[in-house]
Amino acid sequence: MVKRIVVKPGRPALAAEASPSREHWIVVRGAARVTVNELVKTVHENESIYIPIGAVHRLENPARSSWS
């Protein structure tokens, strides 16, 4: 399954409870601040991160909002 998620600057982050399946996230444009359990990492365009089964994860757009 493939999902496209757009996180706009200045908006609340996407947060998820422990995942029942593993996930592989790829940043297509910009950058993402990804938290997997206690690890916080910035993932840039054309990079990816693995979310293991049972990991609590969060996705944020670290860019500044142009409208705030």
Side-chain angles (χ1 to χ4, degrees):
M1 175 179 8
V2 175
K3 293 181 185 178
R4 182 178 184 167
I5 300 171
V6 177
V7 181
K8 296 184 179 186
R11 300 289 183 173
L14 174 68
E17 295 297 319
S19 176
S21 62
R22 65 190 72 121
E23 299 179 18
H24 184 227
W25 290 356
I26 302 168
V27 175
V28 177
R29 188 179 317 148
R33 182 176 300 119
V34 181
T35 304
V36 179
N37 294 323
E38 300 299 318
L39 171 72
V40 179
K41 181 178 180 181
T42 300
V43 183
H44 299 277
E45 196 168 305
N46 296 321
E47 294 180 344
S48 65
I49 190 164
Y50 173 72
I51 312 296
I53 293 173
V56 176
H57 49 287
R58 179 183 182 101
L59 175 65
E60 302 173 72
N61 183 340
R64 295 178 131 189
S65 173
S66 60
W67 47 266
S68 46

